[in-house]
Amino acid sequence: REAKGMIVVEPAPMCQSSSAYAARVYEGARNRYEQAVLQNGQAVLLAVYRGRMSEGVSFDDDFARGVVCIGIPFPNLTEERIAQKRACNDFWQSRGLSSVSGNAWYESKALHAVAQALGRCIRHPRDFGALVLLDSRWSELGKAAQLPQWLQPFMVDRGDADSAALLVQEHFRALAHRRPTQPGVGGQIKREPELKDEKEELKDEIKEEVKDEIKEEVKQEIKEEVKQEIKEEVTEDDAAADVAQPVYGLQPDLRDAGPLAVSHSIPRSQLAALDGKKSARPDAQLFQVPLV
């Protein structure tokens, strides 16, 4: 136990609990594991295939220097939905409508789960670790060749546990000499204060970017409003120019009153047909019409 450090077990599925509560439980287990690694430099996390810890979590750098996959997680053949799915694939393949048989689909489910679990360890180009497939069927049945291509150049078959352990020991001893010293890059984990400082800096940068974006959006809105106001003003000016100008003339119902200068609205286009003298005033036309 001293060599392993703290042992953390992935919580069992909580189907009857709320998703928020289940997430808190899983997060608590993960935090216990990571704190143990930070404080003691070692810990063991026991997880299950297709669980949250083996598929939905990224364990970068020292948080995972090794993954041991025990067995091959083939789906349960006694489940009705699994049997129906295999039969369905075989049915469509027999009619030439599918290239995936029931057995091929069945094996792919197991291989996908293993590939996901192995991927928790290597998270970036400078990350490293040891991946162990603890089951003789990988070599006896040739199942290892069906795993992702990026794993194939690193496959080494060992028939017994002692030789496998020696190989892993040599692997890490060789990496220790060229292990980078820069915190958090392919070697050591950044401590919490460093992560917090970087997070604050990134947050400030994002704030400035958001402010600039909002300013541009506000500018565009103001421009559109000003354009609309100018259009309305221009339209009103054009309409006012087309309205007939007030002139001085003779009201039709005041013939007997003698020559008078009264307000009357006559379009400019009709002024040329009238006899009389026009006023010099720009906003009106003055003329006298003799009474009949």
Side-chain angles (χ1 to χ4, degrees):
R1 182 176 177 84
E2 293 180 358
K4 300 183 182 69
M6 177 179 286
I7 300 177
V8 180
V9 180
E10 178 180 4
M14 293 171 284
C15 302
Q16 296 181 353
S17 301
S18 65
S19 58
Y21 175 76
R24 288 196 299 270
V25 174
Y26 278 100
E27 194 64 24
R30 178 185 175 181
N31 289 337
R32 290 196 302 274
Y33 168 75
E34 293 183 348
Q35 287 299 319
V37 175
L38 290 172
Q39 295 173 4
N40 306 319
Q42 59 192 20
V44 174
L45 175 63
L46 301 179
V48 297
Y49 289 114
R50 302 184 183 90
R52 293 193 182 190
M53 298 295 188
S54 60
E55 294 193 2
V57 180
S58 178
F59 294 105
D60 299 42
D61 302 318
D62 284 347
F63 283 130
R65 289 301 178 200
V67 173
V68 180
C69 292
I70 302 175
I72 304 178
F74 290 106
N76 189 354
L77 284 175
T78 61
E79 290 187 18
E80 182 64 22
R81 62 185 185 88
I82 299 298
Q84 291 293 338
K85 176 59 179 176
R86 293 183 66 187
C88 180
N89 279 48
D90 290 336
F91 174 81
W92 292 116
Q93 187 187 42
S94 65
R95 284 158 175 73
L97 300 176
S98 175
S99 59
V100 181
S101 65
N103 285 335
W105 169 84
Y106 180 72
E107 289 189 0
S108 70
K109 300 298 290 183
L111 297 173
H112 176 77
V114 173
Q116 285 291 320
L118 295 175
R120 299 310 94 200
C121 183
I122 309 300
R123 304 305 299 173
H124 56 79
R126 301 187 65 180
D127 206 354
F128 62 90
L131 308 178
V132 180
L133 299 173
L134 200 59
D135 195 301
S136 61
R137 290 175 293 179
W138 290 109
S139 58
E140 293 174 358
L141 303 180
K143 299 300 182 183
Q146 301 178 34
L147 289 171
Q149 291 297 319
W150 69 271
L151 287 170
Q152 301 305 321
F154 309 101
M155 290 287 187
V156 178
D157 187 10
R158 288 290 183 271
D160 61 277
D162 292 337
S163 61
L166 181 61
L167 179 63
V168 171
Q169 186 178 10
E170 294 175 352
H171 171 68
F172 283 107
R173 183 182 295 115
L175 289 171
H177 297 291
R178 56 193 182 100
R179 180 171 179 171
T181 58
Q182 182 179 359
V185 182
Q188 299 175 358
I189 300 172
K190 293 185 178 181
R191 304 310 181 195
E192 187 173 351
E194 297 175 355
L195 292 174
K196 187 175 181 180
D197 293 341
E198 288 191 1
K199 184 177 180 180
E200 291 298 327
E201 292 177 1
L202 180 60
K203 188 176 180 179
D204 293 337
E205 293 179 2
I206 294 175
K207 279 184 179 180
E208 293 300 325
E209 294 178 0
V210 172
K211 286 181 181 179
D212 293 337
E213 293 176 358
I214 293 176
K215 286 180 181 179
E216 290 298 325
E217 293 177 359
V218 172
K219 284 182 181 180
Q220 292 298 326
E221 292 179 0
I222 294 175
K223 284 183 180 180
E224 293 298 328
E225 291 178 1
V226 172
K227 286 182 180 179
Q228 186 63 28
E229 291 177 359
I230 293 175
K231 287 181 180 180
E232 293 177 357
E233 291 177 359
V234 172
T235 302
E236 291 176 358
D237 292 342
D238 293 342
D242 294 336
V243 175
Q245 299 296 325
V247 298
Y248 293 96
L250 183 66
Q251 291 284 2
D253 57 345
L254 299 176
R255 294 182 184 180
D256 299 336
L260 296 174
V262 295
S263 176
H264 187 58
S265 178
I266 300 177
R268 290 180 179 274
S269 59
Q270 299 180 14
L271 293 177
L274 298 175
D275 294 330
K277 296 181 180 180
K278 297 180 180 180
S279 169
R281 290 178 56 186
D283 59 341
Q285 301 293 338
L286 295 179
F287 58 92
Q288 291 182 350
V289 180
L291 297 179
V292 180

